[in-house]
Amino acid sequence: DENILKEVVGQLEEVRIKKQQNIFKKGSQGDAMYIIASGEVRVHDGNHVLSRLSENDVFGEYSLIDDVERSASVTAEKPSILYRLSRSDFDGLVSQHAGLTRGILKVLIQRMRYMNELEEKLSKSYVKISKQNRKIKKQRDSINDQKQKLEEQNYDLLSINEEKNHLISIVVHGLKNPLTSSKIMAGMLRNGPRPLSSAQKEYLEIIDHSLRRMDKMINQVLDVNVIDSKVVQLKIESINLRDVVEQVLVNHRVIIDQRGLRLQTDLRNVFADLNEVYIFQVVDNLLSNAIKFSSPGSTIFLSAKKAGGMAQLTVRDEGVGIPKNEVEKIFDRYMVKKHHLKQEVPHPGLGLAIVKKYVTAMGGTVTCECEEGIGSTFLVKFPL
């Protein structure tokens, strides 16, 4: 009550502290508590500040009851006035007033309740964290399992890829002998005892040219899978697109005439750094597609020229076109077009996928502009 507080005040000693003056140090024997009348102090353990206290705050009160060493140091942050109550004076007050003891017990019990609440909160947090840790561990184990499965699948894919390359090697070497035989037979026909007609000579020239191209393709293992594996080191040289288109047209002129197709060309000298085998295959595939999907009497347009600072090859037909929902898929592997009952349907193959791979390998781009029922236009661009 008020009278007891007045007696406590009568026992307080006023202490004036300068800025940065140490009030007591960690490890010193506790023998008094302090009330801050004015100023500010910091409670610290070495350089680590635990808290800062100001006017009306109290510190060191445990030393009135317990004589253990101080658990932290206290230093004035500003010039401060403190009220000091020693343990001996406090003991005298306690012996005279039971109400003082009850008040102290009440304060301690409030602190205990507060600590119990904190402990309960910490316990709940610990349970929550434990659940999260178990969940994280379960996810980590799942990820490790998936990683192991992916490594096993990757190993299987590598094995399959090696087997595929082995098969490609067998096929390529197997083609060498019949190709060589065909070239020999073509030479024998050309140099045979009987003179050839002009048409026969033209056909034989086409056959011979095709055989030479096949030989080059085999020598470079011309396959889209080889490009994927980045095994091929391309031989790049300056090539005139006009020359490539004209040579490819020689091979297709007969079938163009047989199918009653009209041919319109705009071929100009335009040079780009290309691989000879790849660019011939690109032009051949695009022209073959245009012929395949063109109706008799329709026109195929071919151009090679400079456009927008690039070397541009254009192949346009007036065929069945491509549905809008299929345009983005036409360069996917094994997705070429088959004309069946006047409908465009997916069919296994490598036609346009090879075009895409070869053009990309040579540093170019290929796009398709089309409208179903009207025709398709393929644009191939390379840096000049």
Side-chain angles (χ1 to χ4, degrees):
D1 61 25
E2 198 71 22
N3 291 328
I4 295 177
L5 288 177
K6 286 181 180 179
E7 288 194 41
V8 173
V9 171
Q11 298 296 325
L12 296 179
E13 174 189 0
E14 184 178 296
V15 182
R16 293 181 178 272
I17 305 295
K18 297 178 181 179
K19 182 178 180 180
Q20 299 303 324
Q21 181 180 341
N22 185 256
I23 300 165
F24 56 73
K25 294 184 178 180
K26 178 180 179 181
S28 61
Q29 200 68 36
D31 61 353
M33 68 163 279
Y34 297 85
I35 304 170
I36 303 175
S38 64
E40 183 179 324
V41 302
R42 69 177 181 273
V43 182
H44 59 97
D45 186 356
N47 293 327
H48 179 62
V49 177
L50 303 174
S51 63
R52 285 183 168 83
L53 306 176
S54 57
E55 186 175 344
N56 294 328
D57 286 332
V58 177
F59 61 91
E61 63 271 25
Y62 289 166
S63 64
L64 296 180
I65 300 173
D66 194 353
D67 59 357
V68 297
E69 295 178 347
R70 301 284 191 184
S71 60
S73 302
V74 180
T75 303
E77 293 272 81
K78 300 176 181 179
S80 303
I81 298 176
L82 310 178
Y83 295 139
R84 181 178 183 273
L85 176 63
S86 68
R87 184 192 300 162
S88 59
D89 291 337
F90 176 74
D91 288 344
L93 290 169
V94 169
S95 63
Q96 297 175 24
H97 302 285
L100 183 58
T101 303
R102 284 196 301 271
I104 293 171
L105 288 173
K106 184 178 179 180
V107 171
L108 293 177
I109 289 171
Q110 288 176 341
R111 290 194 176 187
M112 289 172 64
R113 285 174 176 166
Y114 176 69
M115 294 302 294
N116 287 339
E117 290 176 1
L118 286 179
E119 185 177 355
E120 184 178 357
K121 290 179 181 178
L122 287 173
S123 177
K124 290 180 179 178
S125 297
Y126 175 77
V127 172
K128 184 177 180 180
I129 291 171
S130 297
K131 288 181 179 178
Q132 290 176 338
N133 284 337
R134 287 195 295 270
K135 185 177 180 181
I136 291 171
K137 183 178 181 300
K138 187 176 180 180
Q139 291 174 341
R140 184 173 64 246
D141 292 342
S142 176
I143 291 172
N144 288 334
D145 290 342
Q146 292 176 356
K147 180 182 177 183
Q148 184 176 354
K149 290 179 181 178
L150 286 173
E151 289 175 350
E152 292 173 357
Q153 291 174 353
N154 186 53
Y155 176 80
D156 291 341
L157 287 173
L158 288 174
S159 300
I160 292 171
N161 189 57
E162 289 178 1
E163 183 178 352
K164 175 210 68 179
N165 289 336
H166 179 64
L167 290 173
I168 290 175
S169 178
I170 292 174
V171 171
V172 169
H173 285 89
L175 288 173
K176 270 290 187 179
N177 288 335
L179 180 62
T180 302
S181 300
S182 298
K183 290 168 66 178
I184 292 173
M185 293 301 295
M188 292 175 64
L189 287 173
R190 185 184 302 106
N191 301 316
R194 295 181 180 180
L196 301 176
S197 66
S198 58
Q200 289 174 328
K201 289 180 180 179
E202 182 182 355
Y203 297 157
L204 191 59
E205 183 64 29
I206 293 174
I207 292 172
D208 190 56
H209 182 71
S210 298
L211 291 173
R212 287 199 302 270
R213 283 188 51 225
M214 286 178 63
D215 191 40
K216 285 185 178 180
M217 286 190 287
I218 290 174
N219 289 336
Q220 290 200 14
V221 195
L222 193 62
D223 186 274
V224 68
N225 297 297
V226 179
I227 294 181
D228 283 341
S229 63
K230 298 182 180 178
V231 172
V232 175
Q233 296 294 323
L234 292 182
K235 177 185 177 182
I236 299 297
E237 54 188 316
S238 180
I239 292 178
N240 189 346
L241 276 179
R242 175 177 183 168
D243 293 340
V244 175
V245 175
E246 289 178 344
Q247 290 181 46
V248 171
L249 278 174
V250 170
N251 296 338
H252 292 278
R253 181 71 67 174
V254 174
I255 191 170
I256 290 173
D257 294 339
Q258 288 177 347
R259 297 197 60 176
L261 301 176
R262 293 191 296 270
L263 187 65
Q264 183 179 348
T265 62
D266 180 12
L267 304 178
R268 308 175 192 178
N269 293 322
V270 53
F271 290 84
D273 291 331
L274 306 168
N275 174 269
E276 181 184 3
V277 175
Y278 285 3
I279 189 59
F280 267 95
Q281 189 68 18
V282 167
V283 178
D284 187 80
N285 278 13
L286 292 177
L287 182 56
S288 295
N289 268 8
I291 294 171
K292 186 189 306 181
F293 302 125
S294 293
S295 302
S298 63
T299 301
I300 295 176
F301 175 78
L302 291 171
S303 78
K305 59 183 179 180
K306 295 180 183 178
M310 304 284 282
Q312 178 175 295
L313 168 70
T314 303
V315 181
R316 185 171 71 239
D317 63 65
E318 297 175 346
V320 292
I322 303 170
K324 290 184 178 179
N325 60 341
E326 295 288 340
V327 172
E328 295 182 358
K329 303 177 184 178
I330 60 174
F331 294 110
D332 292 346
R333 191 176 302 184
Y334 308 124
M335 291 293 291
V336 299
K337 295 296 173 179
K338 182 180 179 182
H339 187 201
H340 179 64
L341 299 177
K342 298 184 179 180
Q343 297 291 325
E344 293 288 328
V345 296
H347 181 71
L350 282 171
L352 292 177
I354 289 179
V355 171
K356 176 74 171 180
K357 292 292 183 181
Y358 291 175
V359 170
T360 302
M362 293 184 289
T365 61
V366 56
T367 57
C368 176
E369 300 173 359
C370 60
E371 189 171 347
E372 190 173 5
I374 295 180
S376 305
T377 300
F378 288 87
L379 298 175
V380 182
K381 297 181 180 180
F382 297 102
L384 290 170

